[in-house]
Amino acid sequence: SQHFRLFCLADAAFGRAGHAVELEAIGRQFTAILTTIATAGSQYDRDYGRISALLETAPGRDGLADRVTDLLAGPALGLDVERGVLRSAYYDGVRIQLFIDGPGGPDGPDGDRSAIADLGLFDWVGQLLGDRRARFIASGLGLQLLPVLGHPAR
């Protein structure tokens, strides 16, 4: 369908040392998204199984990619993280997608994983302000998918 329901989050701030703005925003947004997914699982009596992340970064962003990987895989979020090369100019060097596995896992009889959320860094606020220090981090969660993904909880 051309119509869908999207839950969006956004953070904008001036950059700080060690990519602090980006890491804090990613942590806050994915905490909210994972909490929403867990709540939907209870509401719709669904088991979403393993949630994994695909972190795509542009060449030259290895330091940030390592920090984001540590954040995503760490105890607060606990995601399995796959890394790849970002091939889209739409994002400002970083894109993270979240996936929910089918009941048999990504290689199981029920097929592939389903994308459920997307987060990216963007240069839009920096362009508007004429200041490259400005950061903008935004994410979206496909709410319309939550009642149908996963499988019935046992």
Side-chain angles (χ1 to χ4, degrees), residues 17-142:
H19 305 289
V21 167
E22 293 89 334
L23 294 170
E24 290 168 7
I26 292 167
R28 273 193 307 270
Q29 291 184 30
F30 276 145
T31 296
I33 286 170
L34 292 172
T35 300
T36 302
I37 292 170
T39 301
S42 296
Q43 176 72 29
Y44 297 118
D45 196 32
R46 306 300 290 175
D47 180 359
Y48 297 116
R50 183 179 70 109
I51 299 175
S52 60
L54 171 60
L55 167 61
E56 297 175 300
T57 54
R61 303 296 295 261
D62 295 338
L64 177 57
D66 290 342
R67 289 183 181 103
V68 171
T69 299
D70 291 344
L71 172 67
L72 297 174
L77 299 176
L79 298 169
D80 293 331
V81 181
E82 175 185 345
R83 286 175 59 166
V85 176
L86 181 64
R87 302 196 190 289
S88 171
Y90 181 71
Y91 300 90
D92 188 21
V94 175
R95 178 187 189 194
I96 307 165
Q97 296 177 80
L98 291 186
F99 295 90
I100 294 175
D101 286 346
D107 300 319
D110 293 322
D112 296 332
R113 58 191 183 174
S114 298
I116 188 72
D118 193 345
L119 178 145
L121 276 54
F122 302 93
D123 64 356
W124 305 337
V125 173
Q127 288 182 26
L128 287 170
L129 297 176
D131 190 334
R132 294 181 336 153
R133 297 174 302 152
R135 306 290 188 256
F136 184 64
I137 303 93
S139 60
L141 168 64

